[in-house]
Amino acid sequence: MKPIYKTVGIVGTGAMGRGIAQIAAQAGSIVKLMDNQAGAAEIAREAICAQWDKLVEKGRLETAAGASHKASLLVAGTLADLADCDLIVEAIVERLDVKKALFAELEATVPAQTVLATNTSSLSVTAIAAALKHPGRFAGYHFFNPVPLMKVVEVIAGLKTDAAVCSALASHARQMGHTPVQAQDTPGFIVNHAGRGYGTEALRIVSEGAADFATIDRILRDQAGFKLGPFELMDLTALDVSHPVMESIYHQYYEEARYRPSVITAQRLAGGMLGRKTGEGFYRYADGVMQLAAEAPVPQVAEMPPVWVSPRASRRSELLQLLKNLGAKIETGQSASPQALMLVAPLGFDITTVAVVERLDPARTVGIDMLIDDAATRRRVLATNPATRTDMRDAAHALFARDGKAVSVIRDSGGFVTQRVVATIVNIASDICQQGICSPKDLETAVTLGLGYPLGPLAMGDRYGPTNVLEVLFNMQTVYGDQRYRPSPWLRRRGAIGLSLMHEE
């Protein structure tokens, strides 16, 4: 197949530039590597060729194909050597002034038909192109690291970008084996924007003292199905990468509460506790292996109290059946006996608020998160309130662990852990659609490929119920008084009338 762009120039030979060069050469383009640092382009070429050699040795690439790829990968000594390129992709430092200076020089060097693209992850495409004489040929082309494995690329139109340029870049991405998604030029584009809720909400839970890093990671892996917990993920990406992105998107959106960063990551960044690469982040690492303390054992309870379930509990019938399966002695009266453990299962509210509103004895009241069907999870999550007695907490823990399923007990938190993190993710994704940043389909594709979530955020909202997500957000806004939790109109309207969050008007 004839490549969309016969000759592609790559400026910048870091990991991202090398990755883009590799897949472009594999797709049949002649690729020219260029870097201002002496010898960097030659080193990058050798590294890419070494990867192809390994693939040939393992039988995953034919010898002739490897030789062809190598022949297509060239080194450019200066920007003038890129003058015959059909496409030039910049993958240099994330500084607006440096990128603008580079493209001004490129524009004076290459012909008018050459497409210019930036791999920026957080800067405005429109701002980078502002001084160009021909901004119509300029677009964002955001790949993710490692490029050969991360199969999504964001194609971003600036305010003056020609539609044909984005269309051609999308076709080129497909030739390289990647999936393109179209995004408007907004802070964070799609993936980095949609990813704001996962880490920042987990940090808020920690800052309230509701649970520690490891507990939150366990809950979101085992209960909600995420591959990595938020603190594992931040340790992997490193805080010198993730925290500046948090701050950048927050400030670019003029201090929008939904994207508020945390002092916790700011402090750890200042202290050099960046994650795996420094040997310490939210976890400690010995020879690259995360050191994780064992979970607290299940309490031993000599005599289990009877259990009474609030009439207002979410999934009440399922909860009652679960208790029956676990062998609990269930009370069915309108009110609990003086000896009973009182169970509540709120959406969005904290256990304290529920105990007060329902006039329950807070000393005997424990909450359980029932947003997700118990059969679909590998962990149950309970929450106490400040007055919950130790014996009642231990009884609840022991009871819900009877069948061997893991149980986490956290302190009082509006929305437990899963509810508030999932609701925040769904809400931000809904607002991305409300703003017209991308289509719902491209949003789902970008997030599942770029972030590895178990479901796209809109599908996640549909699975757990837009009405339930709305209830979580409304109630959390009541508990915390924070505009962070105000529901997006996209979510509020579709939830109110029973439409899928994927539904477009």
Side-chain angles (χ1 to χ4, degrees), residues 322-360:
L322 173 60
L323 290 168
K324 183 179 179 181
N325 294 343
L326 293 170
K329 181 180 179 182
I330 302 170
E331 293 189 355
T332 58
Q334 288 188 333
S335 60
S337 71
Q339 296 78 35
L341 165 66
M342 308 168 84
L343 282 180
V344 297
L347 292 175
F349 279 128
D350 58 357
I351 311 310
T352 300
T353 299
V354 175
V356 171
V357 169
E358 297 189 20
R359 298 182 179 182
L360 306 178

Side-chain angles (χ1 to χ4, degrees), residues 409-430:
V409 183
I410 66 171
R411 296 185 183 91
D412 214 354
S413 165
F416 297 88
V417 172
T418 295
Q419 287 181 22
R420 62 191 292 176
V421 171
V422 165
T424 300
I425 290 170
V426 173
N427 196 34
I428 288 174
S430 296

Side-chain angles (χ1 to χ4, degrees), residues 191-202:
V191 175
N192 282 331
H193 187 167
R196 290 311 86 217
Y198 192 49
T200 58
E201 193 59 31

